[in-house]
Amino acid sequence: MLLNELKVGDQANIIRIADDVFRTKLLEMGIMPGTLVTLVLKAPFNGPIAFSYENTMLSIRKEDANNIFVEKMMNHA
Amino acid sequence: MKIALFGNPNTGKSSIFNLLTGLRQKIGNFPGVTVEKKSGVVSVNGEAHELIDVPGVYSIYPSNKEEKVVYELLLSSPINEKPDLGIVVADASNLSRGLFLFSQLIDCGLPLVLVINMNDIAEKKGISIDMNALKGTFSNTPIILMNARVGLGKDRLLSALSLQIDQLKTEHRKVSNMLKSLSDLSGQEEEARQRHKQIGEIMKESVRTAEKSPRSHTLDRWLTHPVFGYLIFAAILFVIFQFVFSFASYPMDAIETGFEWLTKGIKGTLSDGPLSALICDGIIPGISGVLVFIPQIAILFFFIALLEDSGYLARAVFLMDRLVRPFGLNGRSVVPLLSSMACAIPGVMATRGIPNYKERIITIFVAPLMSCSARIPVFTLLIGLVIPKMKLLGFIQLQGLVLLGLYVLGIVSALFIAWIMHLLLKQEKRSYYLMEIPEFKRPLWRNIFLTVFEKIKVFTTEAGGIILAISIVLWALASYGPSEQRSAAIQSLKKTIEYKTNDKVEREGLVNAVLLENSYIGILGKGIEPIIKPIGYDWKIGIALITSFAAREVFVGSLSTIYANGGTGSELRLSERLKNQKNPDGTLVFSLRTGISLMVFYVYAMQCLSTLAIVKRETNSWKWPMLQLVSFGFLAYLGGWICFSLF
């Protein structure tokens, strides 16, 4: 599923990032396949989303979030 | 020696910069680009070295114009720009990200000092860093712990710097270039992957993380709530505007009174003549006209810095981004544009935070259309003149409604022009909105004070000169004219019954009116009458339009002079006098259609020298201010013409 399809509070592992430049950009920030992320905020009116990873909260626009494929963690209630 | 300060965004880099340099800071631009270059002096063992604050990045490979500065500083910049030594600031809570940039810089062969900042916060999160293990891994580089917000670790940093500087003096290390070419994306990606692998190993050895409870986001949910989020943002803005409008006027009045007092003092000691006139009526009011902006700049930047430093601004940007994006603006454009409703100067200066060049230019370009406080005297005078005092539906003041309409017209036009520019301007590269939302922090007064100080300094030193020069030229054009024409006009004035029957104050007013009419600006005003006639203005209004190019509110003072409202005429009296002015054909000068045409003219016209000067400073070229002057002038004329024809 896509990062953007997660609900607030959901945890997920990143599987793949589609856009080349965006993937490199995120990689430099330490976000890559295998990184555990938590969706924290969604801005109103389909605005940006914010997710946390390690000790950081990062916001990106929705269309960029649609380039990030994730696998939702099922084990937490 | 040149020392560069590197680091990820939000690592407390600017706190360290402020701690090391204090007030000894200089703001400029990196060569050839409009990216701000902050440099300062740091003393190490009594020797002065230059410290350059480099834009905060995650990697030396850039994703926008601002970040490219870092790459060029290391690679292709002129040799005298290349740093001899670097400080890398890493956030203790995000050490792996800091180490990523650090390891890139090591591979460039640059001698470094690694600062691990905000260790106290990391410890609270259960993160402990084994400094000995880390030092063992990077044995060539001094590594120190700092807590720059409370000033801890400054001595450690200085002695680490001195160690590296001493070493550099004895052996010259050559900067090797391991940099990948900017177009080699897959090379960069592969390198980044390798680096993360190594850093992962290092992290395993030197960082322990205890089980921690996850960070709470309750406050964030409220601040970005679809209803409460906007309400809180509006409330914060309301408070800021209250402060700007209620407190800025006192120091502004004090500055103006102080300079008037100074003028009187100098007039008393200097004999009358061109020199005394130049100093007292040209230069001193010119300087006063620059300094009078300082209170608004100071108050607005105090609040903007407070919002930024506390972490709130990132939430507001997150909340607003979607609403302004269709207009080619960024969430970060919102605060600068709203600040422009107090004054466009701090608004334009606040666009520094917009990372994308195109979005920043659009924001700067449309900021002057937001109705600023200098338009208020113009609007209130004109509304009082031509809009009847009446209520609609029994409770809506028509005059207030018109004023609101003018504000709305400004905002709608700003958004419309932003949208046009968004379609016209080309994006050099696909841009990403990647914004870290920092944790809330108690604001640091030193950082806020230094921001305010820096903005005032930039305005007075870099825009002040242009403003002063042009306002002196305007003054000269308004005070001098062809002498024969002037004396002839005064002679014929003295023969009129009006002059003979009036008292001294009235006579003085009549003489001043004739002098302005026969000054170079007066001649110019008459000269443009054929152009402004179609939009409903006579030459007297033309003169006021030209003089108010210095600042919009001058329009009121100029009308007062040209209509001989006497030396100290109150605004009420001016309004009465203007109401009765008739054209040669017996119609009112300030008819409804002329009044509305003038109001719309002032919504658009780029009648503010100081804004033009600051736009030139912020964009590093005359292209954008000139484009504003011409295109907004055209819109003002067009709008005035439409209104004059319709009503």
Side-chain angles (χ1 to χ4, degrees):
Chain A
M1 72 194 299
L2 299 170
L3 178 61
N4 196 43
E5 291 165 346
L6 292 178
K7 287 195 190 68
V8 168
D10 282 352
Q11 280 195 319
N13 270 311
I14 292 181
I15 311 170
R16 190 166 70 85
I17 301 165
D19 180 297
D20 277 0
V21 180
F22 191 55
R23 182 174 60 235
T24 310
K25 210 55 230 151
L26 290 181
L27 179 61
E28 289 169 343
M29 300 175 76
I31 302 165
M32 59 199 109
T35 304
L36 180 69
V37 298
T38 310
L39 193 80
V40 180
L41 297 171
K42 282 189 168 180
F45 312 117
N46 277 321
I49 62 152
F51 63 91
S52 65
Y53 74 105
E54 289 166 19
N55 282 300
T56 306
M57 179 155 53
L58 189 71
S59 70
I60 59 176
R61 282 176 177 160
K62 198 186 143 191
E63 60 267 36
D64 292 326
N66 283 339
N67 278 325
I68 302 178
F69 294 83
V70 297
E71 188 177 43
K72 195 173 152 186
M73 305 272 285
M74 285 304 173
N75 51 353
H76 90 115
Chain B
M1 226 168 260
K2 274 185 204 304
I3 308 171
L5 185 62
F6 300 94
N8 299 154
N10 299 308
T11 49
K13 205 161 64 74
S14 53
S15 291
I16 291 178
F17 184 76
N18 290 339
L19 196 65
L20 289 179
T21 60
L23 287 174
R24 293 182 296 174
Q25 300 185 1
K26 213 173 73 196
I27 318 288
N29 282 295
F30 281 100
V33 285
T34 54
V35 176
E36 181 178 78
K37 178 185 174 186
K38 229 164 139 184
S39 60
V41 179
V42 54
S43 327
V44 183
N45 282 338
E47 277 180 351
H49 299 280
E50 188 189 358
L51 185 67
I52 305 165
D53 191 16
V54 170
V57 290
Y58 298 102
S59 161
I60 54 176
Y61 298 112
S63 62
N64 60 38
K65 246 185 178 169
E66 180 146 292
E67 295 181 6
K68 207 170 167 192
V69 163
V70 181
Y71 184 78
E72 276 170 358
L73 198 70
L74 294 165
L75 179 77
S76 53
S77 64
I79 199 77
N80 61 347
E81 283 289 333
K82 208 171 249 175
D84 306 291
L85 177 63
I87 302 172
V88 182
V89 185
D91 174 2
S93 309
N94 285 297
L95 191 58
S96 63
R97 252 186 3 200
L99 288 180
F100 184 84
L101 179 66
F102 175 65
S103 74
Q104 283 185 325
L105 288 165
I106 287 185
D107 287 355
C108 293
L110 192 69
L112 296 169
V113 172
L114 176 62
V115 174
I116 298 176
N117 197 20
M118 303 191 280
N119 192 42
D120 53 334
I121 298 174
E123 276 175 352
K124 273 182 206 150
K125 291 179 188 157
I127 300 167
S128 59
I129 298 169
D130 183 346
M131 288 296 280
N132 288 330
L134 212 54
K135 281 175 182 165
T137 315
F138 302 102
S139 50
N140 286 326
T141 305
I143 304 176
I144 59 155
L145 282 176
M146 261 185 107
N147 187 358
R149 288 184 84 81
V150 296
L152 225 77
K154 186 183 172 186
D155 294 339
R156 273 194 294 259
L157 176 55
L158 286 176
S159 57
L161 284 174
S162 114
L163 193 79
Q164 286 289 49
I165 288 167
D166 287 345
Q167 237 177 49
L168 271 172
K169 278 179 185 159
T170 50
E171 47 152 336
H172 256 282
R173 272 186 258 187
K174 229 180 147 197
V175 176
S176 60
N177 275 321
M178 305 267 296
L179 292 178
K180 291 265 183 310
S181 122
L182 282 186
S183 52
D184 183 11
L185 195 64
S186 59
Q188 289 171 27
E189 199 180 334
E190 186 46 42
E191 191 191 297
R193 230 177 275 286
Q194 291 297 330
R195 244 180 243 291
H196 275 299
K197 228 184 214 165
Q198 289 167 2
I199 291 168
E201 295 297 318
I202 297 167
M203 291 291 287
K204 248 184 229 161
E205 286 163 25
S206 38
V207 179
R208 299 269 166 279
T209 310
E211 202 56 49
K212 58 193 174 171
S213 58
R215 174 174 154 190
S216 156
H217 296 291
T218 319
L219 186 55
D220 286 326
R221 302 241 156 81
W222 283 102
L223 292 178
T224 57
H225 188 273
V227 176
F228 297 108
Y230 293 106
L231 282 179
I232 294 167
F233 186 50
I236 289 173
L237 289 171
F238 178 77
V239 171
I240 295 176
F241 275 75
Q242 284 296 310
F243 270 90
V244 172
F245 285 112
S246 54
F247 291 147
S249 60
Y250 298 109
M252 286 167 91
D253 290 344
I255 288 169
E256 285 181 330
T257 326
F259 275 96
E260 277 162 24
W261 176 80
L262 185 68
T263 309
K264 264 186 207 148
I266 293 176
K267 266 195 178 143
T269 54
L270 281 178
S271 54
D272 265 4
L275 180 69
S276 159
L278 173 67
I279 294 174
C280 296
D281 302 323
I283 296 176
I284 294 179
I287 295 173
S288 164
V290 173
L291 298 186
V292 79
F293 284 106
I294 289 178
Q296 284 188 334
I297 295 175
I299 294 178
L300 271 168
F301 273 104
F302 172 79
F303 283 108
I304 292 174
L306 193 66
L307 296 183
E308 175 111 57
D309 213 46
S310 64
Y312 175 74
L313 197 64
R315 276 82 183 170
V317 170
F318 179 76
L319 192 64
M320 299 304 293
D321 186 69
R322 182 66 189 90
L323 299 186
V324 296
R325 274 199 65 202
F327 308 103
L329 299 169
N330 185 297
R332 287 196 180 265
S333 311
V334 174
V335 168
L337 286 180
L338 293 173
S339 303
S340 299
M341 298 188 81
C343 177
I345 293 159
V348 168
M349 294 172 88
T351 59
R352 279 282 153 113
I354 304 172
N356 179 291
Y357 177 74
K358 178 182 158 184
E359 290 167 342
R360 179 162 176 243
I361 286 290
I362 295 178
T363 311
I364 291 177
F365 197 85
V366 302
L369 291 172
M370 307 299 279
S371 208
C372 67
S373 59
R375 285 179 176 95
I376 294 174
V378 179
F379 288 161
T380 37
L381 176 75
L382 292 170
I383 287 176
L385 270 178
V386 303
I387 306 293
K389 260 203 167 98
M390 57 180 273
K391 283 182 181 164
L392 294 178
L393 305 171
F395 67 97
I396 303 170
Q397 287 280 353
L398 181 62
Q399 291 189 332
L401 194 67
V402 171
L403 185 63
L404 179 69
L406 294 171
Y407 272 82
V408 171
L409 182 62
I411 296 168
V412 170
S413 307
L415 291 178
F416 182 72
I417 291 173
W419 178 70
I420 300 270
M421 286 179 80
H422 176 48
L423 297 182
L424 291 180
L425 282 180
K426 265 199 223 119
Q427 181 82 265
E428 68 235 78
K429 207 168 148 190
R430 170 132 161 62
S431 85
Y432 299 97
Y433 161 100
L434 275 171
M435 186 185 63
E436 220 182 296
I437 299 186
E439 284 172 56
F440 288 104
K441 274 180 261 176
R442 185 146 23 105
L444 204 61
W445 300 116
R446 184 182 47 229
N447 285 353
I448 292 170
F449 164 73
L450 283 171
T451 303
V452 170
F453 178 79
E454 174 212 313
K455 296 293 174 186
I456 291 173
K457 196 170 143 193
V458 163
F459 174 72
T460 47
T461 57
E462 295 187 40
I466 304 169
I467 300 168
L468 184 61
I470 300 183
S471 55
I472 290 174
V473 170
L474 281 176
W475 161 79
L477 291 176
S479 340
Y480 293 96
S483 49
E484 273 175 38
Q485 184 182 330
R486 296 187 116 193
S487 48
I490 294 286
Q491 288 306 321
S492 56
L493 168 73
K494 284 186 175 161
K495 286 180 198 135
T496 59
I497 306 165
E498 208 190 348
Y499 185 82
K500 283 176 184 160
T501 52
N502 269 320
D503 63 16
K504 196 170 162 248
V505 177
E506 283 288 319
R507 281 182 183 182
E508 216 170 274
L510 288 170
V511 170
N512 284 339
V514 168
L515 284 177
L516 182 56
E517 182 187 338
N518 292 288
S519 68
Y520 292 112
I521 278 193
I523 294 164
L524 207 59
K526 283 185 178 167
I528 63 168
E529 200 181 40
I531 305 171
I532 57 178
K533 194 119 211 169
I535 58 175
Y537 316 151
D538 64 1
W539 61 267
K540 289 183 175 179
I541 298 175
I543 291 174
L545 287 185
I546 297 170
T547 53
S548 71
F549 176 66
R552 296 179 177 95
E553 69 271 20
V554 173
F555 178 76
V556 178
S558 291
L559 280 185
S560 181
T561 307
I562 198 83
Y563 283 109
N565 194 34
T568 57
S570 69
E571 264 176 41
L572 193 71
R573 227 184 108 197
L574 175 65
S575 185
E576 286 305 310
R577 194 178 276 256
L578 294 182
K579 249 180 205 167
N580 298 324
Q581 294 298 325
K582 296 226 165 67
N583 286 318
D585 60 5
T587 55
L588 284 176
V589 172
F590 289 94
S591 60
L592 178 68
R593 54 193 204 149
T594 294
I596 291 181
S597 160
L598 264 175
M599 287 182 232
V600 170
F601 187 91
Y602 271 92
V603 166
Y604 292 107
M606 193 61 198
Q607 294 278 85
C608 183
L609 180 56
S610 309
T611 304
L612 290 171
I614 203 71
V615 170
K616 190 259 159 188
R617 197 266 164 209
E618 290 294 321
T619 59
N620 213 9
S621 108
W622 280 109
K623 174 178 143 193
W624 295 108
M626 287 301 123
L627 213 60
Q628 283 176 317
L629 186 65
V630 173
S631 62
F632 293 169
F634 171 75
L635 282 177
Y637 190 86
L638 185 71
W641 180 76
I642 291 172
C643 290
F644 188 69
S645 317
L646 278 181
F647 284 92

